[in-house]
Amino acid sequence: MTTDTGSAALRQAQIRRVRPEDAARMRALRLEMLADAPLAFLETLADAAARPHTEFAARVAYTSAGPTNAQFIADPGGRLVGHAGGTVAPNEPGLTVIYAVYVTPAWRGGGMLGELVDGVAAWSRACGRPELLLEVVVGNDRAYRAYQRLGFTDTGVRVPHPTIPALTELQMRRTA
């Protein structure tokens, strides 16, 4: 359970795997993610907003169970405030790739990032994958330092950004 002493009161959010009934709130969080950090995710806000709710609902249902894809959310009741996904690496059976990590700005700095990553890590271990990998845009020093604090190390591998040719991403790994 995340606690963050904001300006008014102690706030808490449950970190858990997404459920099918979270689809509408997950869609709202996804649109927020894309508006807040347009370079960090693999689609545009316009593309996501144009997708019908049924597509969001299908994705949430797919990632709510099973060993190959999962989404974890931070749920304080009401609007969702954090997300981290995990998926199997196609060529490394012992590896989970973490994707779409996001914490609503007002909730940053209170440990939620670590709890979301820990949710993915626990799921990864339960599925028999003892290692985690994520990619960070080169130059995103805030994210880089945050992941270092969570035990990720820079592998030295650099890859082209999948949608923006001018950007490069670096790979970081840690045990799950």
Side-chain angles (χ1 to χ4, degrees), residues 66-134:
T68 59
N69 288 285
Q71 293 183 57
F72 289 83
I73 55 172
D75 185 358
R79 191 170 181 91
L80 300 177
V81 296
H83 175 274
T87 189
V88 297
N91 299 321
E92 281 191 67
L95 180 68
T96 291
V97 177
I98 296 178
Y99 66 90
V101 179
Y102 180 77
V103 175
T104 296
W107 285 75
R108 293 176 186 161
M112 185 176 291
L113 174 67
E115 291 186 38
L116 287 162
V117 169
D118 287 347
V120 175
W123 168 77
S124 183
R125 287 189 309 271
C127 295
R129 294 186 301 272
E131 191 171 12
L132 304 173
L133 174 133
L134 55 78

Side-chain angles (χ1 to χ4, degrees), residues 28-51:
L29 181 63
R30 180 67 178 174
L31 296 177
E32 175 188 325
M33 292 163 66
L34 293 165
D36 184 52
L39 298 180
F41 306 106
L42 301 182
E43 69 180 330
T44 66
L45 176 59
D47 288 344
R51 277 194 285 128

Side-chain angles (χ1 to χ4, degrees), residues 2-5 11 103-113 142 149:
T2 295
T3 57
D4 182 2
T5 53
R11 299 180 294 169
V103 175
T104 296
W107 285 75
R108 293 176 186 161
M112 185 176 291
L113 174 67
R142 181 177 180 194
R149 286 190 296 273

